[in-house]
Amino acid sequence: MRRGLIILPLLGFIVVASIIPGLLPRKGRPQTHDMAVFVADNGVHTDLIVPLRGCGEDWTRLLPQAGTPDASRPVTHVAFGWGARDFYLSTPTWDDVDPVTALKSLLFAPTVLHVESIRGTPATTMDVRRVWLDAEGCHTLARFIRTTLAPDRQGRAIRVDHPGYGPDDTFFEASGRFSPFRTCNTWTAEALAAAGVTSPLWTAFAWGVMRHLPQPDDSPRTSP
């Protein structure tokens, strides 16, 4: 009984301690409208969506080769998501979640970068936010994504031997370890902070990223 009285307040403290940093903003700087990027939230995980070409990067070399070109719907953007390797590769949908694999992903697991082709400029919604960057922020964000990749000895990105979830996505070996202290959403927040965008002081959760981003009506409806 006494043990329970100790453990319950401790768990409550841990929960509160993990929420508070997500509420506190790490202030960004004023940005000019040089380039629009997007942050997508599926309720649990966040992705960064950037133009196919821009910010000094051409991401075409990272795109999956199996996708069938569609002249009527060309690839315009690329989505990047960072996460635990085994969990990412074995969980194309939430119905495929394996509790054992999920638990292992919390134990400082190796990581991959998920890369997906996006056809058409994303529509802004509460789950997909547009973020404007100036030239400096744009290049910094691209560099952050690039340095997440774990290259081979020749400096080339290492494609993971995995079919992906469909014809338009693939995985690459990534740097860093996944843990309760650095999740997919922590990675997104770090990327935005590096680019000068207001982001949470720290968060493990998708809501912690999204709550600091502009509402859909706060930005113009056209992208450069």
Side-chain angles (χ1 to χ4, degrees):
M1 185 68 176
R2 289 181 179 179
R3 182 176 300 176
L5 292 175
I6 295 173
I7 292 176
L8 286 176
L10 179 60
L11 290 175
F13 172 79
I14 292 172
V15 170
V16 172
S18 66
I19 290 175
I20 290 176
L23 298 173
L24 300 176
R26 179 165 38 180
K27 285 292 186 181
R29 65 172 190 278
Q31 303 266 356
T32 56
H33 290 189
D34 291 339
M35 183 65 71
V37 300
F38 301 83
V39 182
D41 166 28
N42 69 5
V44 178
H45 169 89
T46 51
D47 280 330
L48 289 170
I49 303 176
V50 303
L52 178 63
R53 295 182 179 87
C55 305
E57 288 286 352
D58 181 349
W59 300 109
T60 56
R61 287 173 294 178
L62 295 184
L63 296 183
Q65 303 300 312
T68 302
D70 185 345
S72 65
R73 296 178 62 247
V75 175
T76 59
H77 293 74
V78 186
F80 293 98
W82 180 86
R85 192 182 198 279
D86 289 347
F87 184 83
Y88 230 150
L89 298 182
S90 63
T91 314
T93 70
W94 293 115
D95 291 336
D96 300 305
V97 172
D98 175 7
V100 174
T101 302
L103 180 61
K104 287 181 179 179
S105 72
L106 299 177
L107 303 176
F108 299 93
T111 56
V112 291
L113 192 65
H114 183 232
V115 180
E116 182 179 3
S117 304
I118 304 297
R119 301 179 187 275
T121 300
T124 55
T125 67
M126 290 302 294
D127 297 327
V128 180
R129 308 289 182 86
R130 178 187 283 113
V131 179
W132 290 96
L133 299 178
D134 56 24
E136 178 185 353
C138 193
H139 282 82
T140 302
L141 182 67
R143 185 165 57 251
F144 183 96
I145 295 171
R146 176 65 68 180
T147 56
T148 297
L149 293 163
D152 62 16
R153 293 182 179 179
Q154 285 71 45
R156 297 169 300 194
I158 304 172
R159 192 183 298 269
V160 176
D161 185 16
H162 185 278
Y165 299 155
D168 282 333
D169 74 302
T170 191
F171 293 93
F172 290 88
E173 300 290 355
S175 60
R177 293 272 175 169
F178 188 98
S179 75
F181 310 103
R182 191 165 191 252
T183 69
C184 53
N185 302 306
T186 312
W187 178 85
T188 302
E190 290 174 354
L192 294 170
V197 176
T198 298
S199 57
L201 190 62
W202 175 84
T203 189
F205 311 109
W207 65 262
V209 176
M210 303 302 284
R211 76 180 311 273
H212 298 285
L213 299 180
Q215 297 293 311
D217 293 334
D218 288 348
S219 57
R221 292 299 183 182
T222 59
S223 59

